[in-house]
Amino acid sequence: MLAAMSSPKVVPHVPLQKLHTAIQLNIHLNALRYANRSTFVRFASGKSVGDNRVRDQPKKKRKARIEFKQYSLKDAEQFSLCDAIRYIKAFEVGRPPTSPKYELAVKLRTVKNGPTVRNRLRLPHAVDTSIRICVICPPDSEHAEAAKKAGASVVGEDTVFDAVKAGRIEFDRCICHQDSIAKMNKAGLGRILGPRGLMPSAKFGTIVKDVAVSVKGLIGGSEYRERNGVLRMAIGQLGYTPEELQANIKTFMGEIKKDIALLSDRVNKEIHEVVLSSTNAPGFSLNGDFRSPTSPSSRDLSVI
């Protein structure tokens, strides 16, 4: 029994060729295991062990958009004008009819850095008639008298210049008579009125010859300007009938199409979507119809 316990273990004889094959297989397995780990590290972290080429490669830059992004209307829910009015009035329940305003947003397909649409128009049914107008002209002239009769709030030259420099800008629009251009430029009002969009300019038709006609056109008039591919403007009061709102929308859209046609030789602009909203209501995309088969009557929508 002691002899059996002290006898050495018998190691089975392995042929040299088989041993060599096993060693090679083990080397291949380790190499494959290392390759898999390296591949995983490369794709997970952006680099591989012992290889910095992937890390040093510059990241691909996304191609910048040259046009404003507009979503497809293929699956979008759109409404007739009467349906949109019905839903908007539900959001405005309990509010004064002259306080909330309908707003129209016209989205354009246009390039980002191209010329923009900007203009002024007089709607068939004026939205805001409380606009304050300043007229720069000689205070004792016939032009000053005509401007006051037309409804101008502030009229004069030196008194207007001093008030503006003192920070008292008590007007919403400013026009200048042709005879007062030199005096206005000498006063240096551009750095004050320019950032506010109030500086008179021949480009925007606020340097005029007949101030009375211009004042009458501004009272009840509306301005619109394209920003980020969208034109926004107050289009009516909550108490307007659907027919009155429709007349304002048609006038606004007609002016936009004229403005786009004037820019057609410089840039391509197309109307993509028209959205009606209000002061406290969300926007409703319009499909171009006045009413749908399920729309309430215009008489019912005219009741506040």
Side-chain angles (χ1 to χ4, degrees):
M1 186 174 179
L2 291 173
M5 292 177 61
S6 61
S7 61
K9 291 182 179 180
V10 179
V11 179
H13 176 71
V14 179
L16 186 61
Q17 186 176 2
K18 288 186 177 181
L19 183 62
H20 181 68
T21 303
I23 293 172
Q24 282 186 334
L25 181 60
N26 191 29
I27 291 172
H28 287 308
L29 288 174
N30 286 334
L32 184 62
R33 200 176 295 119
Y34 178 82
N36 289 338
R37 183 168 63 85
S38 175
T39 304
F40 174 77
V41 172
R42 163 175 283 188
F43 286 99
S45 64
K47 61 181 180 179
S48 61
V49 178
D51 185 6
N52 294 329
R53 286 178 297 175
V54 175
R55 182 187 62 188
D56 296 338
Q57 287 179 357
K59 294 182 178 179
K60 291 183 179 179
K61 293 183 178 180
R62 290 186 177 182
K63 191 176 180 180
R65 289 181 176 274
I66 62 172
E67 293 186 354
F68 291 104
K69 187 175 181 180
Q70 301 291 4
Y71 295 96
S72 174
L73 301 177
K74 184 179 180 181
D75 299 323
E77 186 176 6
Q78 293 188 296
F79 304 85
S80 66
L81 180 60
C82 289
D83 286 335
I85 291 173
R86 175 176 61 176
Y87 296 132
I88 287 173
K89 286 200 171 190
F91 281 92
E92 299 286 2
V93 169
R95 294 183 173 87
T98 57
S99 178
K101 301 288 189 296
Y102 288 112
E103 184 182 80
L104 201 69
V106 182
K107 300 180 181 180
L108 305 176
R109 286 193 291 268
T110 179
V111 295
K112 286 187 174 181
N113 297 321
T116 58
V117 175
R118 180 177 179 179
N119 208 339
R120 184 177 67 245
L121 81 161
R122 186 179 179 86
L123 295 171
H125 306 281
V127 179
D128 187 7
T129 57
S130 62
I131 188 171
R132 300 170 300 173
I133 300 172
C134 170
V135 177
I136 299 175
C137 66
D140 299 327
S141 65
E142 59 179 355
H143 305 298
E145 283 295 322
K148 290 177 182 178
K149 289 181 180 179
S153 304
V154 182
V155 180
E157 286 182 332
D158 294 331
T159 54
V160 174
F161 302 154
D162 294 340
V164 170
K165 290 177 181 178
R168 300 193 308 272
I169 302 175
E170 299 172 346
F171 49 86
D172 305 306
R173 299 286 185 274
C174 184
I175 60 177
C176 177
H177 190 267
Q178 292 178 347
D179 297 342
S180 301
I181 296 175
K183 205 167 184 180
M184 179 187 67
N185 292 335
K186 189 177 179 180
L189 304 181
R191 64 180 182 274
I192 303 173
L193 297 180
R196 294 174 169 84
L198 297 175
M199 187 65 184
S201 168
K203 179 181 178 181
F204 301 119
T206 47
I207 293 179
V208 298
K209 190 174 182 180
D210 191 338
V211 293
V213 173
S214 299
V215 169
K216 289 178 181 178
L218 284 173
I219 293 177
S222 302
E223 289 189 356
Y224 55 91
R225 183 178 182 178
E226 178 187 345
R227 297 182 187 274
N228 298 326
V230 182
L231 290 159
R232 300 180 189 275
M233 192 179 75
I235 202 70
Q237 297 179 4
L238 192 66
Y240 283 9
T241 65
E243 288 78 13
E244 290 173 338
L245 196 61
Q246 182 189 37
N248 280 359
I249 292 174
K250 282 186 175 180
T251 302
F252 184 34
M253 296 303 297
E255 289 296 321
I256 291 176
K257 290 176 182 178
K258 290 179 184 177
D259 296 333
I260 291 176
L262 292 174
L263 297 174
S264 60
D265 57 334
R266 299 164 59 191
V267 66
N268 183 36
K269 290 179 182 284
E270 296 178 1
I271 296 174
H272 175 69
E273 184 183 15
V274 180
V275 179
L276 182 68
S277 62
S278 73
T279 307
N280 302 287
F284 295 88
S285 181
L286 302 180
N287 58 15
D289 296 333
F290 179 68
R291 63 168 59 254
S292 67
T294 58
S295 298
S297 65
S298 299
R299 184 177 180 181
D300 293 337
L301 292 174
S302 302
V303 178
I304 301 171

